[in-house]
Amino acid sequence: LAQHGAQGWLNDERYVFTAIRDGGVLDLPRRDAGIFSVFCLGAEAHGVSITGAQYPLDRAAVSPWFPIGVSNHFIGQAPRISVEEGCLLVGWELA
């Protein structure tokens, strides 16, 4: 869906996932606690930024071979995730 400019959600009772790509931005809900993860889909993603989380990133390269975005933590802010080039799968626990 993200490859065609649409946004979709895959979820069950505990988790939700979506993808962003090429200039995409995703604002997660503000939470005091919980975990979210960012996975690279396909080739290395460039310009990946995460703000408002325990482990921020600033325009980093993220590859599918090294899990730099796994198990980040909510810290009472609304995390923002963006990617300049490439595709990311983002998943987080529901409250």
Side-chain angles (χ1 to χ4, degrees):
L1 290 172
Q3 187 173 357
H4 296 286
Q7 191 167 29
W9 309 92
L10 177 64
N11 64 283
D12 65 12
E13 317 67 58
R14 296 188 53 210
Y15 298 95
V16 63
F17 288 87
T18 192
I20 59 172
R21 68 175 291 130
D22 297 333
V25 176
L26 178 65
D27 291 313
L28 298 182
R30 189 197 72 74
R31 303 258 312 271
D32 291 328
I35 294 175
F36 69 92
S37 292
V38 177
F39 302 96
C40 179
L41 293 177
E44 188 172 76
H46 297 277
V48 176
S49 295
I50 301 173
T51 60
Q54 183 172 3
Y55 306 112
L57 285 177
D58 184 26
R59 301 189 69 227
V62 176
S63 79
W65 304 281
F66 184 77
I68 192 169
V70 175
S71 296
N72 207 330
H73 295 262
F74 289 92
I75 57 170
Q77 300 177 31
R80 172 170 276 195
I81 301 156
S82 61
V83 59
E84 293 174 4
E85 181 184 343
C87 188
L88 301 174
L89 177 67
V90 182
W92 64 98
E93 295 176 303
L94 294 171

